[in-house]
Amino acid sequence: MDYIDYYKILDITKSATEAEIKKAYRKLARKYHPDLNPNDKEAEKKFKEINEANEVLGNPENRKKYDKYGKDWKHADEFEKAGYDPNQQQYSRQQQQGGNDDFSGFGGDFSGSDFSEFFNSMYGGGRSSRSQSKYRGQDFNAELQLDLASAYTTHKQSLTVNGKNIRITIPAGVENGQIIKIPGHGGPGANGGPNGDLYITFNIENNSDFKREGNNLYSDVDLDFYTAILGGEVFVNTFDGKVKVKVPAETQTGTKVKLKGKGFPVYKKENQFGDLYITYNVKTPTKLSQREKELFEELAKIRNHE
């Protein structure tokens, strides 16, 4: 059996950490997965090599044996019992059988093949087909477009992923750019392994009069000049409809008011809401009648003489 450089297959160095091995494997497995490369024999071959490399290097014990014994790592236990030292290329004579040094007594198949014995055992080739390994399916990614009003309420929605229709429940309060996981709705596993997961990224378009920051909403409210001066009431829009708000006399433009609990729903927190912050914009009257002008002039004189 020829030596296979698993580090080269995963494009990593021999000093790679477990996290780096996992990252490299996932990246390559996505790239060469059969679902993304239908009828591509080279991609299928590469995918199997990548999985084999991960089975060895992704397991600390297997990696240790591989680093020490190379292509014969699967026979590490037999070698160690026999006192074999790969650095000295010898093992104790008392454990040899008939002086044969080709290790055939350990049951290994060292004949040449496209892949290693371990590879064949994983995918049903050679003498070791009884020990097929299970592999998790590929994760899928999808993007879902919503408007702000739809994100305000919990609702169901259907989407098509990889040719399959999936109906999901979207909780109220989901945010723009948020990613949620739908377990088991990714690619199918190999050899009876579990399916991958589906990751949905939400793209929420805000076509409302509100600005959203987390669970809080912000809006500007026009206030007529006379209400601002004398005080009164004004109706303010919220996602629940209009609410009546009292306006104190002499309210200035730019004044901010918090309406508690009138903001956006808190994600997966039933009956919990952020707040709505309104900013008053006092509107100066226009197209004054002659009488109105006279009254304002009189008010100005009174104001200036105080």
Side-chain angles (χ1 to χ4, degrees):
M1 180 179 69
D2 295 334
Y3 173 73
I4 297 178
D5 191 340
Y6 293 132
Y7 290 100
K8 185 175 181 180
I9 289 175
L10 294 183
D11 195 22
I12 55 177
T13 64
K14 289 188 176 182
S15 61
T17 64
E18 289 185 28
E20 289 171 336
I21 292 172
K22 181 181 290 187
K23 182 179 179 180
Y25 164 69
R26 288 181 174 176
K27 177 182 177 181
L28 293 171
R30 291 191 191 99
K31 181 178 180 180
Y32 293 102
H33 196 282
D35 288 345
L36 300 180
N37 302 274
N39 302 319
D40 187 335
K41 295 298 183 182
E42 285 301 316
E44 181 181 356
K45 176 181 176 181
K46 187 70 176 177
F47 180 70
K48 291 178 179 179
E49 290 177 337
I50 292 164
N51 277 291
E52 177 181 348
N54 183 62
E55 280 293 313
V56 178
L57 301 184
N59 183 304
E61 286 299 318
N62 289 346
R63 182 184 183 185
K64 183 178 179 181
K65 295 175 182 177
Y66 173 75
D67 287 343
K68 185 174 182 179
Y69 293 101
K71 66 184 180 65
D72 299 320
W73 72 271
K74 286 198 71 179
H75 304 288
D77 293 339
E78 291 93 333
F79 290 159
E80 289 175 2
K81 289 179 182 178
Y84 172 64
D85 186 342
N87 296 317
Q88 299 179 8
Q89 292 296 309
Q90 65 182 14
Y91 59 114
S92 67
R93 293 295 174 181
Q94 63 183 1
Q95 297 294 333
Q96 294 181 28
Q97 297 181 359
N100 186 1
D101 292 339
D102 63 0
F103 308 116
S104 60
F106 295 118
D109 181 2
F110 297 103
S111 59
S113 62
D114 290 339
F115 306 109
S116 70
E117 174 190 0
F118 178 58
F119 175 81
N120 288 330
S121 72
M122 289 165 54
Y123 292 96
R127 305 177 191 176
S128 304
S129 60
R130 62 184 180 277
S131 58
Q132 288 188 349
S133 299
K134 297 179 180 180
Y135 295 97
R136 184 177 177 277
Q138 181 189 16
D139 291 335
F140 287 161
N141 294 281
E143 188 173 288
L144 187 58
Q145 188 92 13
L146 294 177
D147 58 29
L148 195 63
S150 297
Y152 185 79
T153 58
T154 298
H155 65 285
K156 294 183 180 296
Q157 190 158 331
S158 297
L159 65 158
T160 302
V161 178
N162 201 36
K164 294 182 179 180
N165 291 323
I166 301 174
R167 187 166 178 80
I168 63 172
T169 298
I170 302 175
V174 65
E175 295 195 45
N176 184 47
Q178 183 173 343
I179 300 174
I180 65 172
K181 181 176 76 172
I182 311 297
H185 283 277
N191 297 331
N195 290 348
D197 299 323
L198 169 63
Y199 291 88
I200 299 176
T201 302
F202 288 92
N203 184 3
I204 300 177
E205 182 180 0
N206 186 357
N207 50 12
S208 71
D209 294 328
F210 300 95
K211 177 184 177 182
R212 181 186 180 188
E213 292 184 3
N215 300 317
N216 296 325
L217 296 175
Y218 298 82
S219 69
D220 295 329
V221 175
D222 289 338
L223 193 62
D224 74 81
F225 180 79
Y226 304 104
T227 302
I229 294 296
L230 303 174
E233 296 176 337
V234 65
F235 285 94
V236 175
N237 288 324
T238 73
F239 267 102
D240 285 333
K242 293 182 179 293
V243 296
K244 186 163 60 175
V245 179
K246 290 184 178 181
V247 180
E250 302 178 8
T251 294
Q252 303 295 306
T253 191
T255 298
K256 291 180 169 54
V257 177
K258 180 175 77 172
L259 303 184
K260 187 173 179 59
K262 291 299 180 181
F264 222 70
V266 179
Y267 182 71
K268 288 191 173 181
K269 299 287 185 180
E270 190 173 356
N271 297 323
Q272 293 188 31
F273 294 81
D275 301 320
L276 169 61
Y277 293 85
I278 61 174
T279 301
Y280 288 128
N281 179 27
V282 178
K283 305 293 288 184
T284 302
T286 59
K287 298 180 180 180
L288 298 175
S289 67
Q290 185 59 39
R291 177 56 178 160
E292 286 175 319
K293 290 180 182 180
E294 292 172 355
L295 290 174
F296 275 114
E297 289 172 355
E298 184 176 344
L299 287 172
K301 291 178 183 179
I302 295 174
R303 189 74 175 181
N304 291 333
H305 283 85
E306 287 183 351

